[in-house]
Amino acid sequence: MQKLRLKSAEIEKSTHLEFFKIALSVDCVIFGYDKKKLKVLVFESDFEEYANMLSLIGDLVQPEEDLEEAPYRILRERAGLHDVYMEQVYTFGSVSRHPSGRVITTAYFSLVDIKTHKLPASETNLHWHDVDDISQMAFDHKIILDTCLTRLREKILEYPIVFNLLPEKFSLRELQDLYEAILGVELDRRNFRKRITLKNWLVDLNEMEEDVPHRPGKLYKLKKQLKSNGKPLRLKEQNLVI
Amino acid sequence: MQKLRLKSAEIEKSTHLEFFKIALSVDCVIFGYDKKKLKVLVFESDFEEYANMLSLIGDLVQPEEDLEEAPYRILRERAGLHDVYMEQVYTFGSVSRHPSGRVITTAYFSLVDIKTHKLPASETNLHWHDVDDISQMAFDHKIILDTCLTRLREKILEYPIVFNLLPEKFSLRELQDLYEAILGVELDRRNFRKRITLKNWLVDLNEMEEDVPHRPGKLYKLKKQLKSNGKPLRLKEQNLVI
DNA sequence: GCAAAAGTGTTAATCTTACACCCATGC
DNA sequence: GCATGGGTGTAAGATTAACACTTTTGC
């Protein structure tokens, strides 16, 4: 076996200074849901090169900030969002992806309930945009959005995360509409209800919808132990094939 | 709506120089398979801080190198591996994860056939190590390995990628042994064969194993259109629930 | 002929899919 | 009373899981 020539970390750094010249950013695909449509939080880019094109919310990671903390900070600072479901998806690092220089970006998606998380009035440029009505974005943000949407679709088939897009109390019809909006398919009502009850994810609140112009539906909430604001939740042996 | 103050990329970069001080690395979890064991290619760390601990193969991304090219270069340079299956898994970016400074790392896993890809004699330190016989590694490499292993296990249930770990021709028994080694479970032979033939992934070569001390099995190969050296392959409607 | 692994089929249980009618409420 | 969506069950088909014996080869 080769004899080891040990390096110390100090020497390593001093001999590789030319590599410590990359910026790291985080781009957040913040999904919401309203009026039977999946939404994403965007603003019009304030980069000259991409003027008026839709842009995801992102920021550079601070020199002393853990990567996994950055998306939470960005959601707090830029959108006033706290305690959201967040998941890392993919890191994009083409040399030419950003006009300012070598900026690689890690994409996260998060799921928030639009109704209970109001946008700060100071961020007048931010708005919720229909996901399926976006054909172009600034930078490589359209690819980032598509990648996150694909991951979201895969994930909701197995893990109870869509509830982060709904208010605490919801009817089965609202839940089914949400699945249909995300997956882009129609589902059979009876079979959907059977599967959801089989999964045993929900608590029947013994309450009814109010102010609906038709027969009110029963209200449910997610079981407490399945709530997952923060780290993704792993369930064994529970495939929900919607 | 707020009036836009447009920034140009040039100004953006000059005012954010303090952010361009991060190094980006890639760590490769190179899986192999031999003697019914899943293996990973490792070496003994040449960092003083982690002397003699097992380390993944990695390197800093070059200033003018796309992130997605780096793992292929690293496999070529460090292990003489060409045309391997490669997939990005996760990016790790704790402030304190690397003793040399702010180094964030993107983890990739790849799948190679140990028998047809011999290690270069110059890299005497590299070796194939049983995955389930590793309890500790340098840096955060054990977490990286575990994350990649989890992703591999999920992925092989739906996509025909394990074939990258086998020689061109293989028997159904070898294939089943491989699935069992990766998943860490025993599978029923008859049911396994039924599922594999239903999937229609294989071509019967009408050849037999040779030099085995028992009745030889038939040899198969993966259908050409399912080969996936390079980009991950998406199959619609083909869940292989092993 | 014996050791070792190859090859093969059936049944029961479970899950998935397709499908239609009555009910409760607001107006 | 009518429009709207809420709520519910069944049967056929597909899939999965459990399980054992005969065959072929090398030695």
Side-chain angles (χ1 to χ4, degrees):
Chain A
M1 183 177 296
Q2 194 182 31
K3 198 163 176 189
L4 292 176
R5 288 162 297 121
L6 291 180
K7 322 179 233 192
S8 87
E10 282 308 312
I11 294 171
E12 171 81 1
K13 166 133 194 190
S14 64
T15 58
H16 288 82
L17 279 178
E18 72 275 20
F19 290 101
F20 285 80
K21 287 183 178 167
I22 291 176
L24 172 61
S25 72
V26 161
D27 283 305
C28 296
V29 176
I30 307 168
F31 288 115
Y33 173 69
D34 190 34
K35 302 201 180 70
K36 303 196 180 185
K37 294 282 190 181
L38 186 66
K39 307 274 186 179
V40 60
L41 194 57
V42 293
F43 67 103
E44 271 120 55
S45 178
D46 48 4
F47 266 77
E48 218 172 53
E49 290 82 351
Y50 294 110
N52 297 316
M53 292 175 70
L54 294 179
S55 177
L56 297 170
I57 293 163
D59 195 11
L60 294 168
V61 177
Q62 301 290 316
E64 294 295 323
E65 179 181 44
D66 287 344
L67 171 60
E68 55 262 46
E69 279 175 14
Y72 292 102
R73 172 181 57 79
I74 293 167
L75 260 64
R76 280 196 311 273
E77 291 179 359
R78 298 284 298 280
L81 296 170
H82 297 260
D83 296 322
V84 299
Y85 178 85
M86 181 89 70
E87 185 167 340
Q88 190 193 108
V89 177
Y90 203 82
T91 297
F92 297 84
S94 296
V95 170
S96 59
R97 64 168 293 282
H98 200 290
S100 293
R102 190 69 202 272
V103 182
I104 69 150
T105 196
T106 299
Y108 285 77
F109 80 74
S110 54
L111 304 176
V112 309
D113 169 28
I114 289 183
K115 302 264 171 52
T116 62
H117 292 92
K118 288 294 173 196
L119 297 180
S122 59
E123 294 282 350
T124 53
N125 201 9
L126 274 185
H127 66 277
W128 292 103
H129 206 289
D130 273 15
V131 166
D132 57 13
D133 190 31
I134 295 180
S135 59
Q136 206 187 23
M137 298 183 81
F139 307 99
D140 50 1
H141 286 188
K142 181 60 162 67
I143 291 168
I144 294 175
L145 171 60
D146 289 344
T147 305
C148 288
L149 181 57
T150 298
R151 179 70 64 91
L152 175 65
R153 285 178 172 152
E154 290 166 359
K155 193 95 182 190
I156 66 169
L157 297 179
E158 294 196 50
Y159 302 93
I161 62 170
V162 294
F163 305 97
N164 295 292
L165 291 164
L166 291 175
E168 167 108 6
K169 304 176 179 184
F170 51 85
S171 68
L172 290 180
R173 179 72 215 173
E174 289 174 297
L175 183 60
Q176 182 177 342
D177 284 344
L178 173 53
Y179 269 99
E180 291 180 345
I182 296 174
L183 297 173
V185 296
E186 286 201 359
L187 302 170
D188 178 89
R189 191 164 79 228
R190 277 168 295 191
N191 293 337
F192 179 81
R193 283 161 186 250
K194 241 178 298 176
R195 269 195 289 263
I196 291 291
T197 43
L198 264 178
K199 286 298 144 197
N200 212 17
W201 284 349
L202 302 185
V203 179
D204 183 342
L205 289 169
N206 291 310
E207 293 177 57
M208 291 295 184
E209 287 181 294
E210 283 170 27
D211 301 320
V212 288
H214 54 75
R215 174 176 173 181
K218 292 177 93 169
L219 291 176
Y220 296 82
K221 67 173 184 179
L222 183 63
K223 284 193 173 171
K224 235 186 244 116
Q225 63 269 32
L226 299 178
K227 282 189 189 165
S228 52
N229 280 346
K231 297 296 167 202
L233 178 74
R234 299 248 114 179
L235 289 186
K236 285 173 203 152
E237 317 279 352
Q238 289 208 39
N239 295 1
L240 174 66
V241 180
I242 291 285
Chain B
M1 182 178 293
Q2 194 182 31
K3 197 164 177 191
L4 293 177
R5 288 162 298 121
L6 290 180
K7 323 179 231 191
S8 88
E10 282 307 312
I11 295 170
E12 170 81 2
K13 167 132 193 189
S14 63
T15 58
H16 287 83
L17 279 177
E18 71 273 21
F19 290 102
F20 285 80
K21 287 184 179 167
I22 291 177
L24 171 61
S25 72
V26 160
D27 283 306
C28 296
V29 176
I30 306 167
F31 288 114
Y33 173 70
D34 190 33
K35 300 199 182 70
K36 304 197 181 185
K37 294 280 190 182
L38 185 66
K39 308 275 185 177
V40 60
L41 194 58
V42 293
F43 67 103
E44 272 119 53
S45 179
D46 47 3
F47 267 77
E48 219 171 51
E49 290 83 350
Y50 294 110
N52 297 315
M53 292 175 70
L54 293 181
S55 178
L56 296 171
I57 292 162
D59 196 10
L60 294 169
V61 177
Q62 302 290 315
E64 294 294 322
E65 179 181 43
D66 288 343
L67 171 60
E68 55 262 46
E69 278 176 15
Y72 292 101
R73 172 180 58 81
I74 292 167
L75 260 63
R76 280 196 312 273
E77 290 180 0
R78 297 285 298 279
L81 295 171
H82 298 258
D83 295 321
V84 300
Y85 178 85
M86 181 89 70
E87 184 168 340
Q88 190 192 109
V89 176
Y90 203 82
T91 297
F92 298 84
S94 296
V95 170
S96 59
R97 63 168 295 281
H98 200 290
S100 293
R102 190 68 201 272
V103 182
I104 69 150
T105 196
T106 299
Y108 285 77
F109 80 73
S110 55
L111 305 176
V112 309
D113 169 28
I114 290 184
K115 301 262 171 52
T116 62
H117 292 92
K118 288 293 174 196
L119 297 180
S122 58
E123 295 281 350
T124 53
N125 201 8
L126 274 185
H127 66 278
W128 292 103
H129 207 287
D130 274 15
V131 166
D132 58 12
D133 190 31
I134 295 179
S135 59
Q136 206 187 23
M137 298 184 81
F139 308 99
D140 50 1
H141 286 187
K142 181 61 162 68
I143 290 168
I144 294 175
L145 171 60
D146 289 344
T147 305
C148 287
L149 181 57
T150 298
R151 178 71 63 91
L152 175 65
R153 285 178 172 152
E154 290 167 359
K155 192 96 184 189
I156 65 170
L157 297 180
E158 295 196 48
Y159 301 93
I161 63 171
V162 294
F163 304 96
N164 294 292
L165 291 164
L166 291 175
E168 167 108 5
K169 304 176 181 186
F170 52 85
S171 69
L172 290 179
R173 179 73 215 173
E174 288 173 297
L175 183 60
Q176 182 178 343
D177 285 343
L178 174 53
Y179 268 100
E180 291 179 345
I182 296 174
L183 297 173
V185 297
E186 286 201 1
L187 302 169
D188 179 88
R189 192 164 77 230
R190 279 168 292 191
N191 293 337
F192 179 81
R193 284 162 184 249
K194 243 177 296 177
R195 269 195 288 263
I196 292 291
T197 44
L198 265 176
K199 286 298 144 194
N200 211 18
W201 284 349
L202 303 184
V203 178
D204 183 344
L205 290 169
N206 290 311
E207 291 178 57
M208 292 293 183
E209 287 181 295
E210 283 171 26
D211 301 320
V212 288
H214 54 75
R215 173 175 173 181
K218 293 177 94 168
L219 291 176
Y220 297 82
K221 66 172 184 179
L222 182 63
K223 285 193 173 171
K224 235 187 241 115
Q225 64 269 32
L226 299 176
K227 283 189 187 163
S228 52
N229 280 346
K231 298 297 168 199
L233 178 74
R234 299 248 114 179
L235 288 186
K236 285 172 202 151
E237 316 282 351
Q238 290 208 38
N239 294 1
L240 175 67
V241 180
I242 291 285

